[in-house]
Each structure stands twice: as structure tokens, then as C-alpha cells.
Amino acid sequence: MFKNFLGNKANTALTIEQRKSECMREAVPSHIAIIMDGNGRWAKKRALPRVAGHREGMKTVKKITRCASEIGVKALTVYAFSTENWKRPKDEVDFLMRLPVDFLDTFLPELIERNVRVETIGDSSVLPLHTQKALTEAMETTKHNTGLVLNFALNYGSRDEMVKAMKAIMMRVAEGELTAEQVDEDCITAHLMTAHLPEPDLLIRTSGEVRLSNFMLWQLAYTELWFTDMLWPDFNEAAFLDAVMSYQKRNRRYGGLKGEETK
Ligand code: V0D
């Protein structure tokens, strides 16, 4: 009866701790990807500058990182800056580029304590030097950690990633290391920036937009998608755990079906 109740939307009655233990009763998604949308709208609703929304959004990243590491998620990829975001006003971009520095100044000790490894995907080489320095330091300091991989997508675009993979494969073919015949799905997967990560089991997008916006297009082929109207700064542990429970419920519904049949 408890279980039926939990399978329904009525789990608003559950505390965070109850939700966590409920999630941990079955397979927790290995890799969760998140499109963190709605910071600007959150600020606008409060007549605050957009950057106030980004700052609040950074707090949500910390909360969700903690929660994901506690329930045993192996990888959490968060879309922090897209290749499109350069089109925003310079002041806003400058502010965003200080967030990694700020985040690590205030959170690196906890990441270490939690055994979290920081990684990035996307082309970081064109980010300001102070941003790159913070990233390098975070990745270096945490590279031996064996817990959650906290993977920031920064200056990331999925099509750009595929173009780079395609070029790398063509170079290897040109050098005779690989034949065109050998190029298959696994080969392409291995040349993406996520090569070392499992495919995302669950994608969360906040703020009511229902699209992928050039995020992990190849990797999301079989991923469960979960959309919410909540704005990213309002997103919290309860909503995150509800998304995980909803994923587990969908998985359960497939019964014994595995592999091709669920694809
Ligand atoms: C703004 C909401 C953390 C989304 C979250 C440079 C947009 C807050 C980081 C971060 C951003 C990145 C790398 C790292 C440590 C922290 C971050 C950006 C934006 C873009 F190693 N939050 N955050 N980076 N926002």
C-alpha cells in the first residue's frame, strides 16, 4: 500500500529523506543530465537583474550535486553555458564566467569531502583565463576522486561536438589507423566528449521549455525525458528526487523488457 501510494503523484507528502530512501530501493539512474533553464525568468519575476537569477541558480547546482551524490548517481552533467550563450550582453557573459571561480571558492572543500570529481565537456579553451584556471584547478584537485562525476557542459554544443568527432575519425582514417568500414556507432560514441561516461538515463529540463537545444543529441537517443515548469533557481531536492522516482516508475513499467525492446 505504501508502495502504491509512492508510485502516484501524491508523493508531495514525503520528506526529502523519505524520497531519498524510496529512490535507493531500486536502481538509481547512473547518469543524469540537466538543462538548467529559467534563471533569467526567475529574476524578472522578482524585478531583479538577470545575474541575480544566475547566482541563485548556482546555489541550486550545489543542492542537486549534494543530493545526487547522496543517492549514488555516478554522473551528473549540467548544461551551464551553450555555444549560443555568447550572444548575451557582455556584462552578463562576464558575470557568468566568474561563476565557476565563485562556485569552487565556496564549494571545492565539500566536493573533495564528498569524493566528487569535477569534469567538463565543451570547448573551454576560449573561456577567459580566470575561468579556465578555476576549471583546471578543480579538475586537478579532484581527478582521483571516485564518487559522483560532476560534469559541466561549458561552451558546449552537440552538433559542434559531432563535427569534432567526425574530423577526428576522418584524420584517423586518413592516417590509416582506421578504415571507413570500422566506423560504427561505438566508434562515434568513443570520439564524443562524453566517451568515458555512461549514456544519460534521465534528462531533466526546467522552466517549461520542451526541447533539447543542441544538448547531447547523440547521447540522448534512449534517455527518459522529464520536463518541469519550475524555474532552475526554484528547483530543489524534492523535485529532483521526484524526477528520479518517475524515471524508476517508467523503467519498472517495461517489466522484463530490456535492450532493443525498450529502445
Ligand atoms: C549559470 C545555472 C556553476 C545555469 C547555474 C560559465 C547558468 C549557474 C558553474 C560552474 C553557471 C562551472 C564550472 C565549474 C564550476 C562551476 C557555472 C556557468 C554558469 C557558466 F567547474 N554554475 N554555473 N558555470 N550558472
Side-chain angles (χ1 to χ4, degrees):
M1 179 210 145
F2 194 45
K3 196 162 190 182
N4 277 343
F5 166 69
L6 289 165
N8 287 327
K9 276 215 155 179
N11 58 21
T12 45
L14 297 184
T15 66
I16 305 297
E17 289 311 313
Q18 285 171 323
R19 280 179 169 93
K20 277 187 200 157
S21 39
E22 194 56 30
C23 282
M24 290 165 75
R25 284 163 59 157
E26 49 194 295
V28 167
S30 296
H31 184 179
I32 301 180
I34 309 184
I35 302 177
M36 311 182 287
D37 200 5
N39 301 295
R41 220 177 305 164
W42 181 92
K44 194 172 180 189
K45 265 174 54 181
R46 286 164 179 74
L48 292 169
R50 287 176 59 83
V51 296
H54 296 317
R55 179 171 296 288
E56 203 59 29
M58 192 179 79
K59 293 188 194 161
T60 310
V61 178
K62 294 178 182 173
K63 276 191 219 167
I64 300 309
T65 301
R66 272 188 203 111
C67 190
S69 82
E70 279 164 12
I71 63 171
V73 173
K74 291 194 171 59
L76 181 69
T77 298
V78 291
Y79 204 2
F81 195 86
S82 78
T83 48
E84 295 299 297
N85 288 158
W86 294 111
K87 293 178 189 157
R88 293 187 178 173
K90 185 180 180 300
D91 284 354
E92 187 178 339
V93 172
D94 288 348
F95 182 90
L96 287 168
M97 291 304 155
R98 283 196 301 272
L99 287 180
V101 182
D102 196 354
F103 183 91
L104 296 164
D105 279 349
T106 54
F107 205 50
L108 193 54
E110 188 176 333
L111 291 174
I112 295 166
E113 196 176 325
R114 288 181 178 275
N115 196 22
V116 173
R117 186 160 87 244
V118 176
E119 291 181 0
T120 68
I121 54 169
D123 181 7
S124 298
S125 72
V126 293
L127 304 180
L129 282 177
H130 65 274
T131 313
Q132 288 190 48
K133 228 180 122 234
L135 296 177
T136 312
E137 193 201 321
M139 292 191 288
E140 271 299 311
T141 319
T142 63
K143 71 178 176 194
H144 299 300
N145 288 352
T146 54
L148 173 75
V149 175
L150 174 58
N151 184 34
F152 287 98
L154 294 169
N155 193 28
Y156 173 86
S158 182
R159 290 182 176 182
D160 175 62
E161 176 190 38
M162 288 192 220
V163 168
K164 288 191 167 90
M166 189 86 68
K167 281 186 179 153
I169 292 168
M170 290 180 82
M171 291 287 282
R172 292 189 60 193
V173 171
E175 314 254 288
E177 279 175 51
L178 203 67
T179 66
E181 257 312 298
Q182 288 170 316
V183 179
D184 56 10
E185 293 186 12
D186 288 343
C187 169
I188 293 174
T189 300
H191 284 83
L192 299 175
M193 294 164 178
T194 51
H196 59 296
L197 297 171
E199 281 180 12
D201 305 291
L202 172 65
L203 171 83
I204 296 173
R205 181 168 188 156
T206 57
S207 190
E209 306 299 338
V210 186
R211 43 194 148 79
L212 297 179
S213 302
N214 201 20
F215 184 55
M216 296 183 116
L217 300 177
W218 175 276
Q219 296 89 335
L220 293 172
Y222 302 108
T223 304
E224 292 289 338
L225 310 178
W226 196 85
F227 299 96
T228 172
D229 286 337
M230 284 175 100
L231 306 177
W232 180 250
D234 292 327
F235 194 72
N236 54 30
E237 293 87 344
F240 178 74
L241 295 165
D242 285 347
V244 172
M245 284 190 273
S246 144
Y247 161 84
Q248 290 173 326
K249 189 179 165 194
R250 291 187 212 176
N251 249 22
R252 227 179 294 137
R253 245 191 267 124
Y254 284 121
L257 300 186
K258 277 277 143 56
E260 290 312 307
E261 286 172 280
T262 60
K263 289 187 173 177

